[in-house]
């Protein structure tokens, strides 16, 4: 775990609400794994008070050395301030944090599912899987509200993924929710994927986990929670999980430390949460 | 930090002697391990660990925190590993550290406080106990122990009679007159007072008309509560015969100095650890610089020097 100031190389809008921010921080770039995250202090003031968690979107080992990119969506005060920052400004990073994705078996096929900004951690995972020599077929199912949400599709194409797009308003790809179309598609496949990697809103994650369980596929889900510290010290980022043998109910895991990536079977889904 | 400096940051809080007055607050530093890569525990004046109870506690359902203007609300629900796991799994790591470890404790009943104190009394590696009285008394219909001077007296007496360790009583600000509960703790034999715990608060989502915290209400911490904390420390210092530890909203060396000037012998840093994990180290170095700039040698020359014109 490191605490570093990192210089912004660029901070470019990709759509109305989405931004790419590239940062240089060689020692964090050298150790961070796909699915791990950083707690970002957006400015050296007390507003907003707390750090904000972000995933690494893509890693650029050589261009320039030790740089990486975040993809973020403007949803509130912190991300609004982030979007106003310029090349040459700095942010303060705490990380790498949490447990990331486990890589698939060599020959197995890979299915990734993303909902909206849930796409953020997946390109780095896809690049890492490709670099690890995994030869199985790879598919990305990517759902958004509209076509503006469906960013970095070309990158997945370049990595050899088959990309299936879904939008709620039908402005691109199939119309509806990603999970509805996905289940139909999965039941038509001769061979099921070896693993599902998923990141997106809570109801989508729940559908993916339940679908994976029904079909006997293992799932790894990157979960979100409001975070205070990011390091396991404040116990604010709880996610209800199955209790380990001999411990009491309910059992809450720390998303920041036990996750953010969880096996689908670990999570006890709450019907009322969204 | 100049090593040849004759500057002394050592403070004496009754039976507790600290090499500097900067402690970390319970519930904001885990069990010390979480931040150890960034904050060498031995640099701290003392470390207060997450509050423990006799039995493990699951805590509240999420969401458990909400950020507010200059502060954060939390309703963790006192989640903790429980006495046994603390002693078996956490204490062996803490024990050899060259830093005083203070164990924060709480119970559902007066008896539970006493039992915890007795169980911790025999353990190696504990420099003191901090009693969290901001918890509901199950036998008194869930009323907060710390809000009633009679219950404060009972809880502190129960702990005092079962331990030889230094006892710190941590006061809640959610009372009309904090000097009354401070006196009750003192009369029951507390060695030290610490204040303040979080200020009761609440936040609502106007779009959904739902509370932001699953527990509906929570405790406010961070810079927003500093003026309240400072005022209460000032009030307590004037009536108390035991040393006082000040906390609430400290994020900088200036904040720490304000509490010391008002009369706190030591300070604790809570929420600020989340924002800037290096903050305690910056405060320790900053206190030395402050003294050096004024040609002072001893932090005790600052403590309790508020000049009211
Ligand atoms: C492990 C992890 C990785 C993440 N990675 C990314 C990423 O790569 N790109 C990205 O755009 N976002 C990511 N997020 C979500 C991001 O942290 C939040 O969107 C951000 O903190 C919102 O800050 P804000 O000040 O703009 O919003 P606020 O004003 O704080 O809140 C606005 C809205 O955002 C919601 N929100 C606030 N904090 C979080 C949070 N931590 N998680 C989920 N919702 C939140 C609030 O409930 C509220 O509805 C990640 C979250 C986690 C837990
Ligand atoms: C997430 C969180 C957890 C806390 N847990 C405890 C606890 O277990 N026991 C306790 O006595 N105080 C607990 N506190 C209160 C703090 O120790 C401290 O009194 C309070 O936060 C005010 O200080 P601050 O403004 O510097 O954070 C907690 C505070 C926070 C923010
Ligand atoms: S954010 Fe503090 S424990 Fe996870």
């Amino acid at each position: 775990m490191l605490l570093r100031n990192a210089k912004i190389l660029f901070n470019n809008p990709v759509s109305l609400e989405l931004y790419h921010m590239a940062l240089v921080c060689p020692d964090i770039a050298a150790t961070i794994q796909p699915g791990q995250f950083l707690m970002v202090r957006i400015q050296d003031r007390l507003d907003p008070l707390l750090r904000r968690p972000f995933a690494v979107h893509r890693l650029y080992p050589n261009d320039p050395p030790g740089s990486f990119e975040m993809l973020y969506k403007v949803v509130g005060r912190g991300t609004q301030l982030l979007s106003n920052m310029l090349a040459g400004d700095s942010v303060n990073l705490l990380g790498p944090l949490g447990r990331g994705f486990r890589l698939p078996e060599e020959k197995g096929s890979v299915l990734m599912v993303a909902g909206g900004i849930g796409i953020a951690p997946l390109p780095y995972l896809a690049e890492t899987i490709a670099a690890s020599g995994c030869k199985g077929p790879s598919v990305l199912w990517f759902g958004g509200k509209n076509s503006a949400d469906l960013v970095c599709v070309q990158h997945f194409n370049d990595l050899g993924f088959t990309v299936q797009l879904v939008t709620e308003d039908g402005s691109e790809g199939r119309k509806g929710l990603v999970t509805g179309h996905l289940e139909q598609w999965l039941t038509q496949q001769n061979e099921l994927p070896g693993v599902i990697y998923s990141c997106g809103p809570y109801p989508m994650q729940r559908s993916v986990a339940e679908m994976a369980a029904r079909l006997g596929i293992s799932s790894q889900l990157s979960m979100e929670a409001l975070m205070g510290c990011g390091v396991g010290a404040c116990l604010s980022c709880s996610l209800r999980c199955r209790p380990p043998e001999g411990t009491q109910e309910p059992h809450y895991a720390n998303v920041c430390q036990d996750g953010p990536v969880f096996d689908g079977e670990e999570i006890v889904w709450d019907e009322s949460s969204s | 930090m100049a090593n040849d400096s004759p500057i002394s940051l050592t403070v004496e809080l009754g039976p507790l002697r600290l090499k500097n007055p900067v402690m970390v607050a319970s519930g904001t530093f885990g069990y010390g391990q979480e931040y150890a890569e960034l904050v060498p525990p031995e640099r701290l004046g003392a470390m207060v660990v997450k509050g423990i109870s006799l039995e493990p506690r699951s805590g509240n359902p999420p969401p458990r925190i909400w950020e507010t203007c200059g502060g954060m609300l939390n309703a963790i629900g006192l989640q903790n590993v429980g006495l046994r796991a603390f002693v078996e799994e956490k204490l062996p790591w803490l024990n050899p550290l060259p830093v005083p470890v203070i164990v924060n404790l709480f119970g559902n009943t007066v008896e539970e406080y006493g039992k915890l104190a007795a169980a911790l009394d025999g353990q190696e590696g504990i420099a003191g106990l901090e009693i969290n009285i901001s918890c509901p008394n199950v036998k008194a219909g869930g009323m907060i122990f710390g809000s009633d001077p009679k219950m404060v007296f009972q809880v502190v007496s129960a702990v005092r009679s079962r331990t030889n360790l230094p006892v710190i009583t941590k006061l809640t600000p959610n009372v009309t007159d904090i000097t009354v509960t401070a006196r009750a703790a003192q009369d029951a034999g507390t060695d030290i007072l610490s204040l303040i715990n979080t200020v009761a608060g609440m936040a609502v989502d106007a779009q959904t008309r739902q509370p932001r915290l699953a527990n509906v209400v929570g405790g406010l911490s961070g810079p927003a509560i500093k003026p309240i904390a400072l005022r209460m420390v000032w009030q307590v210092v004037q009536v108390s015969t035991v040393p006082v530890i000040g906390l609430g909203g400290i994020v900088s060396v200036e904040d720490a100095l304000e509490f010391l000037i008002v009369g706190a012998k030591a300070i604790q840093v809570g929420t600020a650890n989340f924002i800037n994990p290096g903050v305690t180290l910056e405060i320790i170095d900053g206190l030395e610089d402050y003294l050096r700039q004024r040609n002072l040698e001893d932090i005790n020359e600052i403590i309790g020097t508020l000049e009211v014109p």
Side-chain angles (χ1 to χ4, degrees), chain A residues 203-219:
Chain A
M204 183 198 102
Q205 298 284 68
R206 186 174 64 216
S207 300
V208 170
E210 287 167 357
M211 195 185 305
R214 275 197 297 277
L215 298 169
I217 312 169
S218 78
S219 60

Side-chain angles (χ1 to χ4, degrees), chain B residues 68-309:
Chain B
T68 63
C69 197
M72 69 176 263
L73 285 164
N74 88 76
I76 307 300
L78 298 165
Q79 178 181 342
N80 79 101
V81 296
L83 173 67
R84 217 180 94 194
F86 173 74
V87 169
E88 285 172 11
E89 291 158 28
K90 307 292 179 184
L91 208 48
W93 184 84
L94 292 164
N95 187 10
L97 296 180
V99 63
V101 172
I102 313 281
V103 178
N104 182 279
L105 56 88
F106 68 92
N108 293 320
T109 62
V110 174
E111 297 73 52
E112 282 187 20
Y113 278 96
K115 276 190 197 159
L116 264 172
L120 292 166
D121 192 43
Q123 300 295 332
E124 229 177 285
I126 300 177
L129 304 180
E130 182 179 64
I131 317 174
N132 179 2
I133 54 174
S134 304
C135 328
N137 180 348
V138 168
K139 289 193 183 155
M143 183 180 178
I144 305 297
F145 284 105
S147 63
D148 176 357
K150 285 196 213 71
M151 291 200 288
V152 173
F153 184 87
Q154 286 174 22
V155 167
V156 177
S157 303
V159 172
R160 176 72 290 169
S161 64
R162 308 288 292 273
T163 184
N164 292 313
L165 289 167
V167 172
I168 306 169
T169 305
K170 183 168 180 180
L171 301 177
T172 169
N174 304 314
V175 291
T176 312
D177 182 354
I178 197 161
T179 63
V180 175
T181 42
R183 275 208 198 86
Q186 204 173 284
D187 292 344
T190 197
D191 296 302
I192 303 165
L193 294 167
S194 61
L195 59 144
I196 59 176
N197 212 315
T198 54
V199 178
M202 172 170 179
V204 171
D205 182 342
Q207 303 307 318
T208 62
R209 303 190 199 180
Q210 287 178 352
R212 295 290 193 177
L213 299 171
N215 190 52
V216 185
V217 294
L220 185 64
S221 66
I225 69 168
K226 197 188 76 175
I228 300 172
L230 206 54
R231 184 262 297 177
M232 290 190 156
V233 169
W234 167 236
Q235 286 180 309
V236 169
V237 160
Q238 293 180 75
V239 300
S240 103
T241 54
V242 298
V244 172
I245 301 170
L247 74 153
I250 296 176
V251 301
S252 67
V253 67
E254 283 77 16
D255 294 339
L257 279 161
E258 290 175 32
F259 280 85
L260 296 173
I261 289 167
V262 154
K265 287 248 176 184
I267 57 107
Q268 293 181 7
V269 179
T271 304
N273 293 306
F274 307 155
I275 304 155
N276 174 13
V279 65
T280 44
L281 307 181
E282 288 170 18
I283 292 176
I284 295 165
D285 292 343
L287 290 176
E288 284 207 7
D289 291 343
Y290 180 87
L291 293 178
R292 197 172 290 117
Q293 281 157 15
R294 284 159 187 77
N295 289 317
L296 300 173
E297 289 178 357
D298 190 335
I299 192 72
N300 289 289
E301 293 175 75
I302 297 296
I303 292 170
T305 57
L306 182 73
E307 296 189 16
V308 183

Side-chain angles (χ1 to χ4, degrees), chain A residues 17-19 35-39 42 48 50-57 70-81 117-121 199 222-227 255-256 259-260, chain B residues 66-67 205 212:
Chain A
E17 294 173 322
L18 296 177
Y19 285 74
Q36 286 190 302
F37 67 100
L38 299 164
M39 287 295 272
I42 295 159
L50 299 169
R51 289 170 180 265
R52 299 289 192 259
F54 294 97
V56 165
H57 181 58
M70 302 188 316
L71 173 73
Y72 65 93
K73 182 175 181 177
V74 175
V75 297
R77 177 138 179 87
T79 44
Q80 181 69 53
L81 286 163
I117 187 62
I119 194 70
C199 186
S222 182
M223 301 299 292
E224 284 201 356
L226 295 178
M227 289 186 176
V255 172
C256 71
Chain B
W66 186 253
E67 190 182 277
D205 182 342
R212 295 290 193 177

